Amino acid sequence: MDDWHDVREQLRVFALGLPETHEDHPWGETVVKVNKKVFVFLGMDERTEKWDPSFTVKLLSEARGHALTVEGAAPSGYGLGKAGWVSVPFLAELPETEVLLDWVEESYRAIAPKRAIKLLDDET
């Protein structure tokens, strides 16, 4: 698999290409939001002593089970895991990037308002 920075950048660019999205940097991390709500957490730009590179998405389908099979993946902390959020380490052996992009899109669809989802569906 590519360097984790490359994979992270592919996810970021894809997420920002979805309707009505924008990037934000709360807590020093990169997130992508739709309608002021985060749908993908991309973490920090560099690994630190306290942070290993990972991304977090909201998955409500069988994709959640698939994501949790990635070594080191886990339901997200702070109670988010109960709502379907999964944190996936970039340094693990990841599925193909196309699968990761599907996870980002599923998370977007779980968070985005209906008008934005309609815009996305009209594009395809």
Side-chain angles (χ1 to χ4, degrees):
M1 175 118 288
D2 299 329
D3 177 65
W4 74 269
H5 292 96
D6 295 338
V7 176
R8 181 180 183 268
E9 181 62 10
Q10 289 176 50
L11 298 184
R12 189 184 76 76
V13 168
F14 176 79
L16 288 170
L18 298 170
E20 302 183 11
T21 60
H22 66 279
E23 186 173 303
D24 197 3
H25 300 278
W27 322 289
E29 296 186 27
T30 298
V31 301
V32 182
K33 295 180 175 181
V34 59
N35 200 31
K36 299 182 183 180
K37 294 182 179 181
V38 176
F39 70 95
V40 61
F41 294 83
L42 294 167
M44 293 182 248
D45 292 338
E46 294 300 328
R47 190 175 188 182
T48 69
E49 222 174 84
K50 296 181 179 183
W51 182 79
D52 281 328
S54 65
F55 68 98
T56 302
V57 287
K58 184 171 186 165
L59 301 173
L60 301 174
S61 71
E62 64 275 354
R64 184 171 194 273
H66 184 203
L68 288 170
T69 67
V70 174
E71 185 177 340
S76 302
Y78 306 106
L80 294 172
K82 292 178 184 177
W85 290 92
V86 178
S87 297
V88 181
F90 278 119
L91 300 178
E93 187 174 326
L94 296 171
E96 293 296 319
T97 303
E98 201 60 41
V99 172
L100 305 181
L101 297 178
D102 287 346
W103 294 350
V104 170
E105 183 176 333
E106 180 174 330
S107 187
Y108 172 85
R109 288 176 179 278
I111 301 298
K114 290 179 183 177
R115 71 174 183 283
I117 294 169
K118 183 176 179 349
L119 288 171
L120 177 61
D121 290 342
D122 288 348
E123 289 176 3
T124 56

